[in-house]
Amino acid sequence: MGQSTYSPEFKLQVVLEALQSDGTDAEVARAYDIHPVTLSGWKTKLKENGSKAFGSGDELKEKKDKIANLERMLGRKEVEIAMLKNFLGES
């Protein structure tokens, strides 16, 4: 079973809801389909690191740039595959 990766925005949204909610952390965690221990860890991280708890702006920009680059590469490969299929007479 793989480990889920959550965006910094999602983590912050869940932690803020847990802090503002009248319900328990377990109820908030269940609503977002995460483990209560995960939520507890996120809350601790936010309290210890403040606004840098879930990644810096530079880190997010790097990840977005990497995704854009991978999407461009995928598009090029799709074009190459279509050209090869055309060349080989396959559809």
Side-chain angles (χ1 to χ4, degrees), residues 2-3 6-7 9 13 23 26 41 45 52 56 58 77-78 82 85 89 91:
Q3 184 176 358
Y6 301 99
S7 72
E9 294 85 2
Q13 175 185 350
K45 193 172 183 181
K52 296 182 182 177
S56 67
D58 292 338
K77 294 301 175 189
E78 288 177 344
K85 282 184 177 181
S91 56

Side-chain angles (χ1 to χ4, degrees), residues 23-64:
T24 65
D25 285 355
E27 291 171 336
V28 174
R30 194 174 313 115
Y32 284 95
D33 197 28
I34 60 170
H35 197 278
V37 173
T38 301
L39 175 55
S40 177
W42 293 349
K43 285 174 69 175
T44 301
K45 193 172 183 181
L46 180 65
K47 289 175 186 175
E48 291 174 353
N49 300 309
S51 65
K52 296 182 182 177
F54 303 123
S56 67
D58 292 338
E59 182 181 329
L60 184 59
K61 183 181 180 333
E62 287 174 16
K63 288 182 179 185
K64 286 183 178 182

